[in-house]
Amino acid sequence: MFSYCTDPASLEGIAWLSCYLTTGKHFAFYGSFGTVAILLLITAPLALAFGFAGAIAARSSFLPVRWLGKGYTAMVRGVPDIIFFLFVPIALDQAFEWTRHQVLCPDWDQPVRQGSDFVVCNAAKLPLSSAPQWLHEGYGFALAVLAFSVVFGAFAANVLFGVMRAVPRGQLETAEAYGMTPRQSFWRVLVPQMWVYALPGLSNLWMILVKATPLLFLLGVEDIVYWARELGGSKTSAYAYPHPDWRLYYFLGLLVFYLMLTKVSEVVLGHLTRRLTHGQATAGGEAQRRAAA
Amino acid sequence: MSCWETIADYGLRSIGIGERLLPRSDFTLCQQFVLIGSGMIWNIYFGVLALAFGFFMSVTVALGKGAQSPWLRKPAEWFIFLFRGSPLFIQFFLAYEALVLLPRAGIDILGITIETSWTTRAWAGALFVLFLNTSAYAGEIFYGALRSVPKGDIEAADAYGMTGWTRFRRITFPTMLRLAWPAYTNEAIFLFHATALVFFSGFPAWQQRGDALYYANYFADKTFNPFVAYPIAAFYFICLTLLLIGLFGLINRRLNRHLPAERRKSMKLRPQLIR
């Protein structure tokens, strides 16, 4: 990057380090922090939407839908999330390809599963084998995001299902007394009031989501863990910047990054909780009122 | 090959007893069930030992965080922050890289050579990380419970003339444990789930001796079919979770046995999911 970096072998000390830390691969490493941020920013709202749908389904008066919702909320209860992270992307990938296979190649006569192979016709492959590299990576990342959203949606559904029952019964009875239909009282009374009860659970969920992001590495995405291992591994003199095994320092960097991320989240969420409890008929709101008085 | 033979061959494969080579093709359902079940030995090993050692450490940490003196409080606070604020996955990687850097030949202390190579193996290194991790999480739980021990209980103990260690052992500690127990059950469940991460996080599975998820992943990779192996692993974990809830529920009953019936909080069958 700098003009004096043309011959790394002749450099020493700070100059060497400044050149080392600005190589193309290091910029890919810095960029992968963006990958984590994108994952968080897409997954959080998507998981919330999944969770909301799951919670509504679990409250449905129509039995099959209720079973579906209950099953979705129960799925994360006894099974480690990492099993889902390994399972969901492959399962989704195969489900997509199989569906496309059925639609695009109806006259294909061989079975899809042949021994230990999963064979679909060429037109059904996702992404197509002729697709550019970025599309392959993007598809992998999208599957990862979907896996995260499904799993954390189930967590969120648990939180929201409990929270919908925490809204005082009197509020809903009042709504009914005013002649609101169940749909109206749900959207106009229950949903606006439930967020303050949901906040502790959801902030906890955000913390878990943040701490689950390094699992992206297991899904084959080139994230910060991938680059930390890649760059930290010992480099022989065949490389421009030879160095011994520095993975420990790279992982220390990641540790500090995550500690800062969780600390900042904690402060922001604490602030948000105080804002939302203001004026609410809860113990927290009451405590705020007393402190001010 | 009948299923009984498979059990004899692979039932203890994860600890190195039985057939040396893993099945390579034509996997039967029986093989998958047996081998993944055999891997559960490691999950239970990590979970039970980390929980057992971690219990004492976490009470110590909770007391440290509740202490007046900053010399005790600050280290406990930092310990909890460090392990609760960072992903377990990164902790595993970091610990492994740090342990690899220990001198290969062992450390010489006063003429006695202390072997170090075993620390990089999963049974020791990963257990150590899990132990510290659960100590921090449970420490925070116990700290919260310590702060909500009813004032009246302590005052009653004072009135009886109990002080110091006696008061802690007979009043503070049992009450703290009782209050913390539901949350601690939740933490135990999460710890057992976290053991599935061990062999995906730097610690190599020596001679293909891995945990349940390691074998499930092996089968899913070989057959390219995730719909059999992962549900089997999930099934085992669900059984383990139910067993844990049952066991911890029994302890909970014992901890609450002195309370009048209506104040006894029975363990909810719907544990919190949030760590």
Side-chain angles (χ1 to χ4, degrees):
Chain A
M1 181 177 174
F2 303 109
S3 55
Y4 54 82
C5 289
T6 43
D7 183 21
S10 65
L11 295 170
E12 265 185 53
I14 295 292
W16 186 88
L17 200 65
S18 68
C19 286
Y20 172 68
L21 289 177
T22 51
T23 55
K25 285 206 166 180
H26 271 87
F27 277 110
F29 175 50
Y30 306 142
S32 63
F33 284 92
T35 312
V36 173
I38 292 172
L39 173 85
L40 282 173
L41 292 181
I42 301 178
T43 304
L46 211 57
L48 201 58
F50 277 27
F52 196 68
I56 291 178
R59 284 166 55 91
S60 164
S61 53
F62 185 52
L63 196 62
V65 175
R66 190 159 73 233
W67 277 345
L68 199 72
K70 294 259 186 197
Y72 181 53
T73 51
M75 91 180 191
V76 286
R77 207 165 280 160
V79 181
D81 50 358
I82 173 155
I83 293 191
F84 286 108
F85 289 135
L86 293 178
F87 172 77
V88 173
I90 311 181
L92 279 179
D93 182 37
Q94 294 192 351
F96 291 154
E97 290 198 335
W98 184 82
T99 315
R100 280 168 59 94
H101 179 78
Q102 296 295 327
V103 174
L104 295 174
C105 314
D107 45 355
W108 188 271
D109 53 355
Q110 286 159 341
V112 170
R113 288 204 185 281
Q114 300 173 8
S116 54
D117 283 317
F118 183 82
V119 186
V120 292
C121 62
N122 275 329
K125 288 226 171 71
L126 259 183
L128 294 172
S129 43
S130 58
Q133 177 62 23
W134 67 267
L135 211 62
H136 282 269
E137 282 173 17
Y139 180 66
F141 183 69
L143 281 181
V145 167
L146 220 49
F148 269 77
S149 304
V150 167
V151 173
F152 280 90
F155 279 115
N158 267 292
V159 172
L160 294 179
F161 181 74
V163 152
M164 284 177 184
R165 297 199 299 191
V167 173
R169 184 79 199 110
Q171 298 282 340
L172 297 176
E173 277 168 6
T174 312
E176 279 160 23
Y178 272 98
M180 287 191 193
T181 60
R183 180 183 294 264
Q184 280 175 331
S185 68
F186 177 76
W187 285 107
R188 296 186 190 177
V189 178
L190 194 137
V191 172
Q193 287 197 22
M194 72 181 197
W195 297 111
V196 66
Y197 299 96
L199 202 63
L202 290 182
S203 13
N204 228 327
L205 208 53
W206 167 259
M207 295 302 220
I208 300 185
L209 177 61
V210 167
K211 286 184 266 174
T213 48
L215 298 180
L216 264 183
F217 168 69
L218 295 182
L219 305 182
V221 176
E222 293 189 359
D223 75 330
I224 45 179
V225 179
Y226 169 85
W227 282 112
R229 278 167 62 105
E230 190 76 10
L231 294 169
S234 64
K235 300 276 183 289
T236 56
S237 46
Y239 289 84
Y241 298 92
H243 61 75
D245 191 348
W246 279 357
R247 276 180 292 187
L248 182 64
Y249 304 109
Y250 279 89
F251 278 115
L252 266 179
L254 294 193
L255 187 81
V256 170
F257 166 70
Y258 275 107
L259 285 177
M260 285 190 331
L261 196 57
T262 45
K263 192 75 197 169
V264 168
S265 304
E266 213 173 87
V267 170
V268 170
L269 289 170
H271 203 74
L272 199 65
T273 310
R274 274 197 299 284
R275 279 283 293 278
L276 277 188
T277 38
H278 186 77
Q280 289 279 347
T282 56
E286 184 65 17
Q288 272 188 359
R289 194 183 62 79
R290 287 232 185 99
Chain B
M1 196 161 71
S2 78
C3 199
W4 286 114
E5 286 171 42
T6 311
I7 292 178
D9 285 348
Y10 292 114
L12 296 173
R13 174 63 180 78
S14 64
I15 49 175
I17 300 172
E19 197 72 20
R20 204 172 63 81
L21 290 173
L22 294 185
R24 291 181 169 265
S25 56
D26 303 324
F27 307 102
T28 61
L29 205 58
C30 179
Q31 280 174 337
Q32 307 202 17
F33 251 103
V34 170
L35 209 51
I36 293 172
S38 146
M40 285 304 284
I41 295 173
W42 280 113
N43 294 96
I44 293 171
Y45 163 84
F46 284 126
V48 167
L49 285 189
L51 210 57
F53 294 133
F55 179 78
F56 297 101
M57 180 75 174
S58 57
V59 173
T60 314
V61 169
L63 288 177
K65 193 171 175 182
Q68 293 286 326
S69 155
W71 292 102
L72 292 172
R73 202 177 62 235
K74 285 292 164 196
E77 278 174 357
W78 274 98
F79 175 77
I80 290 178
F81 173 63
L82 188 67
F83 281 94
R84 286 187 77 220
S86 61
L88 179 61
F89 198 52
I90 301 284
Q91 292 165 20
F92 274 134
F93 270 119
L94 196 62
Y96 182 70
E97 300 304 341
L99 290 172
V100 165
L101 289 187
L102 291 177
R104 269 282 158 106
I107 303 169
D108 242 8
I109 297 174
L110 302 172
I112 305 162
T113 312
I114 298 175
E115 291 283 329
T116 55
S117 56
W118 55 274
T119 54
T120 57
R121 302 268 293 280
W123 67 265
L127 180 63
F128 188 61
V129 176
L130 282 169
F131 155 70
L132 293 178
N133 188 270
T134 190
S135 298
Y137 277 96
E140 183 69 21
I141 291 171
F142 286 137
Y143 169 70
L146 201 62
R147 300 222 319 169
S148 34
V149 171
K151 208 168 79 178
D153 289 18
I154 309 281
E155 281 167 358
D158 285 340
Y160 273 99
M162 286 187 201
T163 48
W165 173 243
T166 320
R167 190 177 71 182
F168 175 75
R169 192 172 61 83
R170 300 180 66 164
I171 308 294
T172 320
F173 180 70
T175 311
M176 176 196 87
L177 211 56
R178 176 173 70 82
L179 293 175
W181 204 254
Y184 188 61
T185 308
N186 190 44
E187 160 59 22
I189 293 172
F190 260 92
L191 175 69
F192 274 92
H193 288 184
T195 58
L197 261 180
V198 170
F199 291 103
F200 287 89
S201 58
F203 287 98
W206 186 62
Q207 290 185 349
Q208 294 189 312
R209 299 177 189 178
D211 77 328
L213 197 56
Y214 174 82
Y215 289 125
N217 187 247
Y218 172 84
F219 285 122
D221 277 355
K222 288 272 183 228
T223 58
F224 208 62
N225 179 3
F227 296 99
V228 180
Y230 289 133
I232 292 175
F235 163 78
Y236 278 117
F237 272 103
I238 289 172
C239 292
L240 186 66
T241 308
L242 291 177
L243 192 74
L244 267 179
I245 293 176
L247 261 170
F248 275 70
L250 282 182
I251 300 176
N252 189 52
R253 252 208 351 235
R254 190 175 160 76
L255 288 173
N256 282 307
R257 72 191 184 283
H258 60 288
L259 292 177
E262 71 271 16
R263 272 185 59 206
R264 269 182 223 169
K265 272 185 268 168
S266 69
M267 290 267 295
K268 284 183 201 146
L269 262 179
R270 176 195 299 278
Q272 295 160 300
L273 294 136
I274 306 305
R275 190 167 180 176

